[in-house]
Amino acid sequence: MKFEQIKQLDHEHVMNTYGRYDACIVSGKGATCVDVNGKKYIDFTSGIGVNSLGFADPDWVKAVSEQAGKLAHISNLFYTTPGLEVADTLCKKTGYSRVLFGNSGAEANEGAIKTARKYSFDKYGPGRATILTLVNSFHGRTVTTLAATGQDVFHNYFFPFTEGFKHAPAGDMAAVKAADDGSLCAVMVEFVQGEGGVIPLEETFVKRLAEWCKEKDILLIADEVQTGIGRTGKLLASQHFDILPDITTLAKGLGGGLPIGAFMVTDKLKDVMGASSHGTTFGMNPIVCAGANVVLKKVANDKFLKEVIMKGEKIRACLSLCPEVEDITGLGLMIGIKLRTKKSADVVKACLAKGLLVLTAKEKVRLLPPLTISDKELSEGIRILWDVLNQP
Ligand SMILES: *Cc1c(COP(=O)(O)O)cnc(C)c1O
């Protein structure tokens, strides 16, 4: 099929909810992919933080294909081993006690929200179900996770949204405390606000928030859908702060390219979600989990995570010298670039034309390269971005 026909088909028969980049990607290897016309691109997007091992990692492909040939699905009515292995590794590497699997980030957050509300209901009874999230956060696209998302642009059309969410400005402990009218059961945060513009929370705020939540028996939920699984140079971004939130949610990078979501709870919450309290048909799917096991085997490793930090530092060191760059934010290989004069959407287009895929986050250019990106691909991508930013 020719690219023009592909676009026509997409336009005709897929709901027009996405503003797509002007390319149809057909294959990839490492951090390089190829479009339908044979043009190559260096990938600084990882499919929005998903392809943590890049395209077609040989070990991932082998594990997923072998599992597909053995058992694709049987349902949660039976025991299966690939997901058990993921849960076991996650718990051993993070200090959490139990994991429940779903299929996406929004779903993981829904699970966390349900768990927090049930914990509070079981212990304190009704009326203590409000969840505080931060202004400018992003937590997903379901009716409930839209309500959780602290950006008014998302609170439109789909009324009525789920009740029981409040928002406070990031970094503002006084506002957090003021929001507590006795009805709070949890506070949910991203340690680096991703969609909101790659904005990290301040360490003092995170630590004070964690302490305050503990004092009040208000659960701290970490939405690590984007920051988790090595993206920031630690397995979990919470490990930068030496804290273990009561609940952490994961998705994007955990599967290495297949749809997965998960939320993990501490020992205190391990029995909150009992029989029939939650579930999903595809959760803990054997193929998806076979892929996740390969991701964890590679990423949950100090040497690998150190390299993630070094790759991030290389990008920062190079691009901070660029006159068009006003500021660089983020952690590890989650990078936001604030520009002086150019529009991020124009930079995306110019990069695409020159063979580099980058993202935007609000007014910033956002980079989420595969964690395994080679030095050569990294240098080439930086060079293209540098050229684009320095074009008049
Ligand atoms: C992407 C994202 C989500 C939503 O994940 P989906 O898999 O798209 O449902 C939720 N929270 C954060 C922080 C995200 O980056």
Side-chain angles (χ1 to χ4, degrees):
M1 225 190 298
K2 288 268 194 303
F3 187 34
E4 286 311 315
Q5 288 171 285
I6 292 168
K7 284 202 269 192
Q8 182 59 26
L9 255 187
D10 185 70
H11 191 71
E12 259 177 47
H13 295 305
V14 177
M15 288 184 210
N16 295 172
T17 64
Y18 297 106
R20 297 195 204 279
Y21 293 8
D22 201 29
C24 172
I25 307 299
V26 292
S27 67
K29 185 77 195 153
T32 304
C33 60
V34 183
D35 76 10
V36 69
N37 295 321
K39 179 174 170 175
K40 283 188 176 177
Y41 304 86
I42 305 279
D43 178 31
F44 275 10
T45 74
S46 302
I48 321 186
V50 166
N51 302 326
S52 20
L53 306 181
F55 301 105
D57 174 85
D59 299 320
W60 184 92
V61 170
K62 183 165 180 278
V64 165
S65 327
E66 280 181 7
Q67 188 58 46
K70 268 200 307 211
L71 179 78
H73 178 83
I74 183 64
S75 88
N76 282 305
L77 298 174
F78 296 87
Y79 293 95
T80 52
T81 55
L84 283 184
E85 216 182 299
V86 176
D88 186 48
T89 308
L90 279 175
C91 289
K92 284 195 174 121
K93 295 281 182 181
T94 61
Y96 282 103
S97 286
R98 281 185 181 157
V99 182
L100 196 59
F101 293 98
N103 314 285
S104 71
E107 222 186 294
N109 287 341
E110 293 259 355
I113 290 163
K114 281 177 71 175
T115 304
R117 287 186 169 174
K118 185 163 184 297
Y119 169 77
S120 191
F121 187 92
D122 289 347
K123 191 161 171 186
Y124 300 98
R128 190 179 179 276
T130 304
I131 292 166
L132 184 74
T133 69
L134 299 179
V135 172
N136 200 42
S137 57
F138 180 80
H139 297 297
R141 299 274 190 173
T142 61
V143 174
T144 294
T145 54
L146 280 177
T149 292
Q151 302 185 52
D152 283 337
V153 290
F154 288 100
H155 304 151
N156 219 332
Y157 320 122
F158 313 113
F159 302 101
F161 289 95
T162 307
E163 286 175 31
F165 290 93
K166 284 189 178 183
H167 313 288
D172 189 344
M173 218 32 233
V176 170
K177 287 180 183 172
D180 179 28
D181 55 3
S183 76
L184 284 194
C185 69
V187 178
M188 176 154 76
V189 303
E190 299 155 272
F191 294 116
V192 183
Q193 295 188 329
E195 305 302 311
V198 197
I199 305 171
L201 298 185
E202 286 163 26
E203 177 161 6
T204 47
F205 174 69
V206 172
K207 292 206 152 146
R208 284 176 66 198
L209 179 67
E211 254 168 52
W212 180 78
C213 284
K214 193 174 262 172
E215 240 173 71
K216 297 264 180 181
D217 198 23
I218 291 168
L219 302 181
L220 182 60
I221 303 173
D223 177 348
E224 294 229 31
V225 168
Q226 193 161 150
T227 55
I229 313 300
R231 177 52 59 188
T232 70
K234 298 269 187 191
L235 186 60
L236 299 179
S238 56
Q239 293 166 340
H240 286 288
F241 308 106
D242 284 321
I243 58 165
L244 187 69
D246 300 282
I247 308 176
T248 284
T249 65
L250 297 170
K252 294 196 166 95
L254 175 58
L258 288 170
I260 189 169
F263 65 100
M264 312 187 284
V265 301
T266 56
D267 192 57
K268 170 167 118 171
L269 303 177
K270 71 180 178 0
D271 295 316
V272 170
M273 298 302 266
S276 305
S277 60
H278 199 50
T280 171
T281 300
F282 285 112
M284 209 170 163
N285 173 273
I287 297 179
V288 175
C289 288
N293 276 319
V294 176
V295 171
L296 285 174
K297 213 161 275 161
K298 297 203 180 195
V299 175
N301 163 314
D302 286 342
K303 184 166 168 282
F304 184 95
L305 292 168
K306 230 173 239 149
E307 280 167 19
V308 169
I309 302 256
M310 288 187 13
K311 288 171 188 179
E313 275 171 6
K314 174 170 169 168
I315 295 178
R316 263 167 256 264
C318 294
L319 292 177
S320 63
L321 301 173
C322 177
E324 173 60 21
V325 173
E326 186 175 322
D327 190 24
I328 302 179
T329 57
L331 270 178
L333 278 175
M334 184 171 179
I335 293 172
I337 304 168
K338 192 167 175 205
L339 307 171
R340 287 189 202 277
T341 62
K342 292 187 191 305
K343 290 216 153 57
S344 57
D346 296 338
V347 171
V348 166
K349 271 192 205 134
C351 284
L352 191 71
K354 286 182 181 281
L356 173 69
L357 308 181
V358 299
L359 298 161
T360 61
K362 296 267 173 81
E363 80 291 351
K364 286 183 190 164
V365 171
R366 175 172 45 148
L367 311 180
L368 297 172
L371 306 180
T372 52
I373 191 167
S374 69
D375 212 42
K376 188 157 166 278
E377 289 166 314
L378 196 59
S379 300
E380 176 64 5
I382 294 171
R383 187 192 62 75
I384 295 172
L385 184 53
W386 176 276
D387 283 352
V388 166
L389 292 178
N390 279 309
Q391 269 168 5

